[in-house]
């Protein structure tokens, strides 16, 4: 792995950034936009993925970074769960649901792999 100088260079952070953009785009829909609680929660969960990766990176400790990666992974699961609610309420299409689901599952796997790499390289 190349030595990253900033969290913005991390592929997992870049993936999370794309998911946040997707979340904000899909929550603009009329029904979703009116459900302030769900809209706010899914947006905060998406942003939480990005910010936990960034905060962990800035801690400059592998142990703490891995802890924050786990928080980011948990937030990815939260986004996925909230997307199910949005789909059940017909706020989003099946196509959008599948897109968010696939991207969050992929990101979750990437975070897990990165976490595993960091833990192994720190031994």
């Amino acid at each position: 792995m190349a030595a990253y100088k900033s969290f913005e260079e991390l592929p997992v952070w870049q993936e999370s950034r794309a998911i946040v953009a997707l979340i904000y785009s899909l929550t603009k829909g009329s029904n979703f936009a009116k459900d302030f609680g769900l809209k706010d929660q899914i947006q905060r969960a998406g942003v939480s993925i990005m910010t936990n990766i960034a905060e962990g990176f800035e801690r400059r400790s592998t142990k703490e970074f891995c802890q924050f990666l786990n928080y980011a992974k948990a937030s990815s699961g939260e986004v996925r769960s909230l997307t199910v609610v949005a789909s059940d309420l017909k706020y989003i299409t099946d196509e959008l649901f599948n897109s968010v689901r696939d991207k969050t599952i992929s990101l979750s796997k990437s975070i897990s792999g990165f976490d595993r790499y960091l833990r192994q390289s720190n031994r």
Side-chain angles (χ1 to χ4, degrees), residues 15-30:
E15 283 182 65
S16 67
R17 181 180 180 191
I19 288 171
V20 169
L22 179 59
I23 290 168
Y24 272 81
S25 174
L26 68 90
T27 56
K28 288 181 184 177
S30 61

Side-chain angles (χ1 to χ4, degrees), residues 24-123:
Y24 272 81
S25 174
L26 68 90
T27 56
K28 288 181 184 177
S30 61
N31 288 332
F32 211 143
K34 293 175 186 175
D35 190 332
F36 300 113
L38 183 59
K39 181 182 91 165
D40 182 56
Q41 187 68 26
I42 197 170
Q43 287 176 345
R44 286 188 293 117
V47 170
S48 177
I49 302 168
M50 281 178 68
T51 55
N52 277 302
I53 293 168
E55 186 173 350
F57 181 88
E58 294 295 330
R59 295 284 176 134
R60 297 289 187 198
S61 154
T62 302
K63 183 179 177 182
E64 285 185 287
F65 191 9
C66 290
Q67 180 179 357
F68 279 85
L69 287 174
N70 284 316
Y71 297 151
K73 187 176 183 320
S75 292
S76 177
E78 183 179 1
V79 167
R80 202 162 63 247
S81 180
L82 293 166
T83 304
V84 170
V85 175
S87 176
D88 289 348
L89 295 172
K90 306 292 186 221
Y91 291 171
I92 58 174
T93 64
D94 288 344
E95 182 180 344
L96 277 174
F97 168 77
N98 289 326
S99 178
V100 174
R101 181 180 175 278
D102 292 348
K103 288 177 188 331
T104 54
I105 288 172
S106 176
L107 176 59
S108 186
K109 289 178 182 177
S110 295
I111 291 170
S112 291
F114 189 44
D115 176 68
R116 193 169 35 257
Y117 169 82
L118 290 173
R119 289 178 192 278
Q120 290 172 353
S121 67
N122 198 39
R123 291 183 183 160

Side-chain angles (χ1 to χ4, degrees), residues 5-20:
K5 293 184 173 102
S6 70
F7 63 81
E8 294 95 342
E9 296 174 4
L10 297 171
V12 291
W13 186 86
Q14 293 169 2
E15 283 182 65
S16 67
R17 181 180 180 191
I19 288 171
V20 169

